[in-house]
Amino acid sequence: GAVVSQHPSRVICKSGTSVKIECRSLDFQATTMFWYRQFPKQSLMLMATSNEGSKATYEQGVEKDKFLINHASLTLSTLTVTSAHPEDSSFYICSARSGGGYTFGSGTRLTVV
Amino acid sequence: QQQVKQSPQSLIVQKGGISIINCAYENTAFDYFPWYQQFPGKGPALLIAIRPDVSEKKEGRFTISFNKSAKQFSLHIMDSQPGDSATYFCAASEETSGSRLTFGEGTQLTVNP
C-alpha cells in the first residue's frame, strides 16, 4: 500500500530556532499534501494544503510566515516551523492523497524549550 | 456545514464486547467516509472506509453502517480486544472534488481485559 515517510519522529529545539519536518511519498506521487497539527486528546486540525509546484493554501488563523511549506517535488513536502516558541509544541502530521483515499505520515512530536 | 460530529468522546468496553462509535454530518456533498485508528504518538491509520452507494461495509471485525437519509454513519467493532484500545476518528470528504478530510472529534476507546 501507499506509504508516507515522515521525519523526524520527534524533535526538541530551543525557542527562537527553526525546525524542518519532511514528508516523502515512497511509492506514489503526491500531487497534494496536507499538513495537520494535533494537540493532546484533540482531533487533527488542518493547517495547510500544498500542491506540487505551487504555493500552499493556509487555513484561517495559521501564520504562513511562521509555518513555511514547500512542495517542490511529487514525492517531497516540507514544513518548516520558523522562530519556534513553546506554544508551537505539538504533534504535526502530514497526509497525501493516494489511490482512493488518504495516507498519513507517522507524525512528528515537536517540543520547543 | 463542514463539521462532522462524533460521539461518544470516550468508550469503555469489556473484551469480547461490541464497540459502537457514531458520526453525523451536514454536507450532503460528502462522498467518502473513512474511519481512522490512532495510537499514541503515531499518525492515523485507515481502518475502513465507505462510499454513499452502499449502506454497510464489513472488513473482519470492523463494520461501517451508513444512513444517507439521516446523514449518519457508525463504526462497529465486534469482539473488541485490548489491542483495539486507541483513538478512533471518523472523517468525510468530497472525494470527487479532491477536497480535504473533515475529521470528527475522536473517540478514546478502552477495551478492558
Side-chain angles (χ1 to χ4, degrees):
Chain A
V3 176
V4 173
S5 176
Q6 183 171 348
H7 293 280
S9 59
R10 55 179 64 230
V11 58
I12 300 173
C13 71
K14 291 185 177 180
S15 186
T17 62
S18 295
V19 173
K20 180 184 283 188
I21 301 170
E22 289 190 353
C23 273
R24 294 181 182 272
S25 56
L26 296 188
D27 48 4
F28 67 100
Q29 294 183 330
T31 306
T32 303
M33 192 77 80
F34 303 92
W35 287 93
Y36 296 86
R37 184 174 182 175
Q38 186 179 33
F39 291 106
K41 299 189 184 300
Q42 292 190 22
S43 188
L44 284 77
M45 181 186 74
L46 182 67
M47 299 175 64
T49 302
S50 71
N51 292 297
E52 184 266 338
S54 61
K55 289 185 178 181
T57 302
Y58 291 82
E59 295 298 303
Q60 190 173 9
V62 177
E63 301 176 59
K64 62 179 181 180
D65 294 331
K66 181 169 190 60
F67 299 100
L68 301 180
I69 292 172
N70 185 287
H71 194 165
S73 78
L74 287 171
T75 59
L76 174 64
S77 179
T78 61
L79 167 67
T80 301
V81 183
T82 64
S83 186
H85 291 285
E87 57 266 31
D88 298 323
S89 298
S90 190
F91 193 56
Y92 294 86
I93 311 169
C94 62
S95 173
R97 287 184 59 83
S98 59
Y102 303 78
T103 299
F104 286 81
S106 54
T108 297
R109 171 72 61 194
L110 170 63
T111 303
V112 184
V113 298
Chain B
Q1 193 171 11
Q2 289 295 322
Q3 286 184 322
V4 176
K5 294 291 189 181
Q6 182 172 346
S7 64
Q9 188 174 20
S10 63
L11 180 63
I12 300 175
V13 174
Q14 291 300 118
K15 179 181 176 181
I18 302 174
S19 304
I20 301 174
I21 305 171
N22 301 297
C23 283
Y25 63 97
E26 291 294 326
N27 186 351
T28 55
F30 285 150
D31 55 9
Y32 177 67
F33 303 89
W35 284 90
Y36 290 90
Q37 179 188 58
Q38 186 180 31
F39 292 104
K42 301 294 183 183
L46 178 66
L47 204 56
I48 187 172
I50 198 168
R51 290 177 171 80
D53 53 339
V54 296
S55 60
E56 185 174 282
K57 183 175 181 180
K58 183 177 181 179
E59 290 184 0
R61 296 186 294 111
F62 303 95
T63 300
I64 297 180
S65 296
F66 183 79
N67 187 328
K68 188 174 181 179
S69 61
K71 292 185 284 187
Q72 295 176 347
F73 58 111
S74 60
L75 174 69
H76 295 231
I77 305 175
M78 311 299 287
D79 187 26
S80 299
Q81 299 296 312
D84 296 331
S85 297
T87 301
Y88 292 80
F89 292 97
C90 63
S93 74
E94 296 178 46
E95 191 177 38
T96 51
S97 66
S99 74
R100 82 301 186 48
L101 285 168
T102 298
F103 282 90
E105 298 91 338
T107 297
Q108 176 68 54
L109 171 65
T110 302
V111 182
N112 289 327

